Amino acid sequence: MSRIRVFIVDDHYVLRAGLRDMLHKEPDVEVVGTAASAAEALEALAGPLAIDVLLTDLRMPDRGGDELATELRKTREDLRVVFLSNYHSDEDIFSAVKAGAMGYLLKSSTMEQILDAIRRVYSGSAYFPPNISRQLAQRLTRVELTAREMDVLRWAAKGLRNREIGDKLFISENTVRNHMLSLMAKLGTTHRTEAIAISIQQGLIRLRSEESV
């Protein structure tokens, strides 16, 4: 069984070490590295180190976790990002989503919730607790997508690539790409994962564990 490779970023040593030690106990999770700042994380991840999920604080002394995630996703497009923060203002949550967050938790969350978030985002689903979802939904403006854009979005949310979506919908990969660019523009983002997260929070799509791709 492949293990979920997690990299932790937090400026508080006790929290960082505690998360590392707790996650190490899970048979399906491997902590491949930790960092005390965004700068330290960027240095550690400048090389070929493979990671699946970035678990990061939002507010840090040097650079925010949102800036860190944005920078990393320029070269690691498939990186899943979960924010773990003390703060939950509308703008904090929205800035995290704009940076590509697929999960957002408060530091008061239980280890079970943190593990659930890591596993869900690794599988391609978003993880936002109900209170966070409500705040984000209120912050966002609902948009109208075409029926075909909705089809593309639903399959993308299940983890399919453009070519695979094209095969499902009997359209070309280039047509899928154009629909994706259009719906991302309507949702106010240039990132595929952010578009999925926004659409889930707006209620445009719903992921069901029993659905198959």
Side-chain angles (χ1 to χ4, degrees), residues 79-114:
L79 179 64
R80 315 295 201 200
V81 184
V82 176
F83 284 88
L84 189 61
S85 177
N86 281 320
Y87 306 96
H88 57 99
S89 72
D90 292 354
E91 290 306 315
D92 283 322
I93 299 167
F94 190 63
S95 67
V97 171
K98 289 191 68 175
M102 291 185 69
Y104 194 104
L105 293 166
L106 296 181
K107 290 184 178 180
S108 57
S109 301
T110 65
M111 182 54 63
E112 287 74 19
Q113 289 173 316
I114 295 172

Side-chain angles (χ1 to χ4, degrees), residues 80-153:
R80 315 295 201 200
V81 184
V82 176
F83 284 88
L84 189 61
S85 177
N86 281 320
Y87 306 96
H88 57 99
S89 72
D90 292 354
E91 290 306 315
D92 283 322
I93 299 167
F94 190 63
S95 67
V97 171
K98 289 191 68 175
M102 291 185 69
Y104 194 104
L105 293 166
L106 296 181
K107 290 184 178 180
S108 57
S109 301
T110 65
M111 182 54 63
E112 287 74 19
Q113 289 173 316
I114 295 172
L115 280 167
D116 192 18
I118 290 172
R119 288 166 178 149
R120 285 199 195 183
V121 301
Y122 175 69
S123 68
S125 301
Y127 186 96
F128 295 90
N131 59 319
I132 301 296
S133 295
R134 285 192 294 271
Q135 285 183 252
L136 186 56
Q138 292 169 359
R139 174 65 175 76
L140 298 168
T141 302
R142 183 180 273 286
V143 299
E144 294 295 330
L145 302 181
T146 67
R148 183 57 84 187
E149 287 168 349
M150 287 295 299
D151 289 338
V152 168
L153 186 59

